[in-house]
PDB file of all heavy atoms in Angstrom:
ATOM      1  N   GLU A  46      34.847   9.169  -8.227  1.00 43.00           N
ATOM      2  CA  GLU A  46      34.432   9.794  -6.974  1.00 43.00           C
ATOM      3  C   GLU A  46      34.097   8.796  -5.884  1.00 43.00           C
ATOM      4  O   GLU A  46      33.650   9.174  -4.829  1.00 43.00           O
ATOM      5  CB  GLU A  46      33.201  10.675  -7.235  1.00 43.00           C
ATOM      6  CG  GLU A  46      33.503  11.769  -8.246  1.00 43.00           C
ATOM      7  CD  GLU A  46      32.265  12.567  -8.550  1.00 43.00           C
ATOM      8  OE1 GLU A  46      31.191  12.200  -8.032  1.00 43.00           O
ATOM      9  OE2 GLU A  46      32.375  13.555  -9.271  1.00 43.00           O
ATOM     10  N   SER A  47      34.276   7.529  -6.130  1.00 45.00           N
ATOM     11  CA  SER A  47      33.966   6.554  -5.080  1.00 45.00           C
ATOM     12  C   SER A  47      34.938   5.402  -5.164  1.00 45.00           C
ATOM     13  O   SER A  47      35.472   5.075  -6.223  1.00 45.00           O
ATOM     14  CB  SER A  47      32.527   6.046  -5.221  1.00 45.00           C
ATOM     15  OG  SER A  47      32.397   5.346  -6.428  1.00 45.00           O
ATOM     16  N   GLU A  48      35.144   4.743  -4.065  1.00 47.00           N
ATOM     17  CA  GLU A  48      36.081   3.628  -4.022  1.00 47.00           C
ATOM     18  C   GLU A  48      35.505   2.407  -4.703  1.00 47.00           C
ATOM     19  O   GLU A  48      36.241   1.566  -5.215  1.00 47.00           O
ATOM     20  CB  GLU A  48      36.412   3.311  -2.563  1.00 47.00           C
ATOM     21  CG  GLU A  48      37.167   4.412  -1.865  1.00 47.00           C
ATOM     22  CD  GLU A  48      37.489   4.045  -0.434  1.00 47.00           C
ATOM     23  OE1 GLU A  48      37.110   2.945  -0.026  1.00 47.00           O
ATOM     24  OE2 GLU A  48      38.133   4.848   0.231  1.00 47.00           O
ATOM     25  N   ASP A  49      34.171   2.290  -4.721  1.00 49.00           N
ATOM     26  CA  ASP A  49      33.567   1.138  -5.379  1.00 49.00           C
ATOM     27  C   ASP A  49      33.807   1.180  -6.871  1.00 49.00           C
ATOM     28  O   ASP A  49      34.024   0.157  -7.524  1.00 49.00           O
ATOM     29  CB  ASP A  49      32.063   1.116  -5.100  1.00 49.00           C
ATOM     30  CG  ASP A  49      31.781   0.842  -3.646  1.00 49.00           C
ATOM     31  OD1 ASP A  49      32.624   0.203  -3.004  1.00 49.00           O
ATOM     32  OD2 ASP A  49      30.708   1.243  -3.189  1.00 49.00           O
ATOM     33  N   GLU A  50      33.766   2.370  -7.490  1.00 47.00           N
ATOM     34  CA  GLU A  50      34.021   2.482  -8.905  1.00 47.00           C
ATOM     35  C   GLU A  50      35.497   2.272  -9.217  1.00 47.00           C
ATOM     36  O   GLU A  50      35.868   1.840 -10.300  1.00 47.00           O
ATOM     37  CB  GLU A  50      33.583   3.867  -9.399  1.00 47.00           C
ATOM     38  CG  GLU A  50      32.091   4.119  -9.261  1.00 47.00           C
ATOM     39  CD  GLU A  50      31.743   5.528  -9.685  1.00 47.00           C
ATOM     40  OE1 GLU A  50      32.685   6.270  -9.993  1.00 47.00           O
ATOM     41  OE2 GLU A  50      30.568   5.850  -9.708  1.00 47.00           O
ATOM     42  N   ALA A  51      36.352   2.577  -8.261  1.00 44.00           N
ATOM     43  CA  ALA A  51      37.795   2.503  -8.495  1.00 44.00           C
ATOM     44  C   ALA A  51      38.231   1.081  -8.818  1.00 44.00           C
ATOM     45  O   ALA A  51      39.126   0.863  -9.630  1.00 44.00           O
ATOM     46  CB  ALA A  51      38.551   3.023  -7.284  1.00 44.00           C
ATOM     47  N   ASP A  52      37.622   0.074  -8.176  1.00 51.00           N
ATOM     48  CA  ASP A  52      38.016  -1.312  -8.416  1.00 51.00           C
ATOM     49  C   ASP A  52      37.748  -1.696  -9.862  1.00 51.00           C
ATOM     50  O   ASP A  52      38.587  -2.311 -10.539  1.00 51.00           O
ATOM     51  CB  ASP A  52      37.254  -2.237  -7.475  1.00 51.00           C
ATOM     52  CG  ASP A  52      37.616  -1.975  -6.026  1.00 51.00           C
ATOM     53  OD1 ASP A  52      38.729  -1.443  -5.791  1.00 51.00           O
ATOM     54  OD2 ASP A  52      36.802  -2.323  -5.163  1.00 51.00           O
ATOM     55  N   ASP A  53      36.534  -1.345 -10.364  1.00 51.00           N
ATOM     56  CA  ASP A  53      36.205  -1.692 -11.738  1.00 51.00           C
ATOM     57  C   ASP A  53      37.086  -0.928 -12.714  1.00 51.00           C
ATOM     58  O   ASP A  53      37.494  -1.454 -13.755  1.00 51.00           O
ATOM     59  CB  ASP A  53      34.731  -1.387 -11.999  1.00 51.00           C
ATOM     60  CG  ASP A  53      33.824  -2.225 -11.128  1.00 51.00           C
ATOM     61  OD1 ASP A  53      34.276  -3.317 -10.724  1.00 51.00           O
ATOM     62  OD2 ASP A  53      32.693  -1.785 -10.871  1.00 51.00           O
ATOM     63  N   GLU A  54      37.354   0.298 -12.399  1.00 46.00           N
ATOM     64  CA  GLU A  54      38.153   1.105 -13.297  1.00 46.00           C
ATOM     65  C   GLU A  54      39.619   0.652 -13.309  1.00 46.00           C
ATOM     66  O   GLU A  54      40.325   0.763 -14.314  1.00 46.00           O
ATOM     67  CB  GLU A  54      38.054   2.577 -12.892  1.00 46.00           C
ATOM     68  CG  GLU A  54      36.660   3.132 -13.103  1.00 46.00           C
ATOM     69  CD  GLU A  54      36.509   4.509 -12.494  1.00 46.00           C
ATOM     70  OE1 GLU A  54      37.414   4.898 -11.742  1.00 46.00           O
ATOM     71  OE2 GLU A  54      35.512   5.159 -12.763  1.00 46.00           O
ATOM     72  N   TYR A  55      40.094   0.134 -12.191  1.00 45.00           N
ATOM     73  CA  TYR A  55      41.469  -0.377 -12.143  1.00 45.00           C
ATOM     74  C   TYR A  55      41.620  -1.566 -13.085  1.00 45.00           C
ATOM     75  O   TYR A  55      42.646  -1.718 -13.775  1.00 45.00           O
ATOM     76  CB  TYR A  55      41.814  -0.786 -10.710  1.00 45.00           C
ATOM     77  CG  TYR A  55      43.233  -1.283 -10.570  1.00 45.00           C
ATOM     78  CD1 TYR A  55      44.307  -0.408 -10.520  1.00 45.00           C
ATOM     79  CD2 TYR A  55      43.499  -2.656 -10.493  1.00 45.00           C
ATOM     80  CE1 TYR A  55      45.602  -0.862 -10.401  1.00 45.00           C
ATOM     81  CE2 TYR A  55      44.799  -3.121 -10.368  1.00 45.00           C
ATOM     82  CZ  TYR A  55      45.844  -2.220 -10.320  1.00 45.00           C
ATOM     83  OH  TYR A  55      47.113  -2.663 -10.209  1.00 45.00           O
ATOM     84  N   GLU A  56      40.578  -2.421 -13.152  1.00 52.00           N
ATOM     85  CA  GLU A  56      40.636  -3.547 -14.068  1.00 52.00           C
ATOM     86  C   GLU A  56      40.671  -3.061 -15.512  1.00 52.00           C
ATOM     87  O   GLU A  56      41.364  -3.636 -16.366  1.00 52.00           O
ATOM     88  CB  GLU A  56      39.433  -4.447 -13.853  1.00 52.00           C
ATOM     89  CG  GLU A  56      39.416  -5.104 -12.481  1.00 52.00           C
ATOM     90  CD  GLU A  56      38.160  -5.913 -12.272  1.00 52.00           C
ATOM     91  OE1 GLU A  56      37.337  -5.931 -13.202  1.00 52.00           O
ATOM     92  OE2 GLU A  56      38.005  -6.516 -11.216  1.00 52.00           O
ATOM     93  N   MET A  57      39.967  -2.002 -15.793  1.00 48.00           N
ATOM     94  CA  MET A  57      39.984  -1.454 -17.150  1.00 48.00           C
ATOM     95  C   MET A  57      41.357  -0.914 -17.504  1.00 48.00           C
ATOM     96  O   MET A  57      41.844  -1.061 -18.637  1.00 48.00           O
ATOM     97  CB  MET A  57      38.922  -0.354 -17.281  1.00 48.00           C
ATOM     98  CG  MET A  57      37.497  -0.864 -17.097  1.00 48.00           C
ATOM     99  SD  MET A  57      36.306   0.478 -17.044  1.00 48.00           S
ATOM    100  CE  MET A  57      36.524   1.134 -18.693  1.00 48.00           C
ATOM    101  N   ILE A  58      42.028  -0.282 -16.559  1.00 44.00           N
ATOM    102  CA  ILE A  58      43.373   0.244 -16.787  1.00 44.00           C
ATOM    103  C   ILE A  58      44.349  -0.896 -17.041  1.00 44.00           C
ATOM    104  O   ILE A  58      45.229  -0.820 -17.898  1.00 44.00           O
ATOM    105  CB  ILE A  58      43.831   1.100 -15.597  1.00 44.00           C
ATOM    106  CG1 ILE A  58      42.988   2.381 -15.548  1.00 44.00           C
ATOM    107  CG2 ILE A  58      45.297   1.452 -15.687  1.00 44.00           C
ATOM    108  CD1 ILE A  58      43.301   3.267 -14.370  1.00 44.00           C
ATOM    109  N   GLU A  59      44.199  -1.986 -16.287  1.00 48.00           N
ATOM    110  CA  GLU A  59      45.087  -3.132 -16.485  1.00 48.00           C
ATOM    111  C   GLU A  59      44.922  -3.713 -17.879  1.00 48.00           C
ATOM    112  O   GLU A  59      45.882  -4.152 -18.511  1.00 48.00           O
ATOM    113  CB  GLU A  59      44.800  -4.189 -15.414  1.00 48.00           C
ATOM    114  CG  GLU A  59      45.211  -3.761 -14.001  1.00 48.00           C
ATOM    115  CD  GLU A  59      46.702  -3.516 -13.898  1.00 48.00           C
ATOM    116  OE1 GLU A  59      47.463  -4.234 -14.588  1.00 48.00           O
ATOM    117  OE2 GLU A  59      47.118  -2.618 -13.158  1.00 48.00           O
ATOM    118  N   GLN A  60      43.657  -3.731 -18.370  1.00 49.00           N
ATOM    119  CA  GLN A  60      43.436  -4.234 -19.712  1.00 49.00           C
ATOM    120  C   GLN A  60      44.100  -3.323 -20.748  1.00 49.00           C
ATOM    121  O   GLN A  60      44.612  -3.772 -21.765  1.00 49.00           O
ATOM    122  CB  GLN A  60      41.946  -4.352 -19.982  1.00 49.00           C
ATOM    123  CG  GLN A  60      41.269  -5.405 -19.128  1.00 49.00           C
ATOM    124  CD  GLN A  60      39.775  -5.417 -19.348  1.00 49.00           C
ATOM    125  OE1 GLN A  60      39.262  -4.638 -20.162  1.00 49.00           O
ATOM    126  NE2 GLN A  60      39.087  -6.296 -18.642  1.00 49.00           N
ATOM    127  N   MET A  61      44.063  -2.033 -20.465  1.00 46.00           N
ATOM    128  CA  MET A  61      44.710  -1.094 -21.375  1.00 46.00           C
ATOM    129  C   MET A  61      46.221  -1.312 -21.394  1.00 46.00           C
ATOM    130  O   MET A  61      46.883  -1.202 -22.423  1.00 46.00           O
ATOM    131  CB  MET A  61      44.395   0.348 -20.959  1.00 46.00           C
ATOM    132  CG  MET A  61      42.929   0.730 -21.123  1.00 46.00           C
ATOM    133  SD  MET A  61      42.479   0.923 -22.855  1.00 46.00           S
ATOM    134  CE  MET A  61      43.488   2.342 -23.275  1.00 46.00           C
ATOM    135  N   LYS A  62      46.791  -1.618 -20.258  1.00 44.00           N
ATOM    136  CA  LYS A  62      48.230  -1.856 -20.176  1.00 44.00           C
ATOM    137  C   LYS A  62      48.634  -3.090 -20.975  1.00 44.00           C
ATOM    138  O   LYS A  62      49.718  -3.164 -21.549  1.00 44.00           O
ATOM    139  CB  LYS A  62      48.668  -2.012 -18.723  1.00 44.00           C
ATOM    140  CG  LYS A  62      48.620  -0.706 -17.936  1.00 44.00           C
ATOM    141  CD  LYS A  62      49.093  -0.926 -16.530  1.00 44.00           C
ATOM    142  CE  LYS A  62      49.099   0.371 -15.734  1.00 44.00           C
ATOM    143  NZ  LYS A  62      49.570   0.176 -14.346  1.00 44.00           N
TER     144      LYS A  62
END
Side-chain angles (χ1 to χ4, degrees):
E46 300 177 356
S47 64
E48 294 181 0
D49 293 333
E50 296 176 356
D52 296 336
D53 297 335
E54 293 171 348
Y55 182 78
E56 295 176 0
M57 296 173 63
I58 292 177
E59 291 298 326
Q60 294 176 1
M61 293 288 295
K62 289 181 178 180

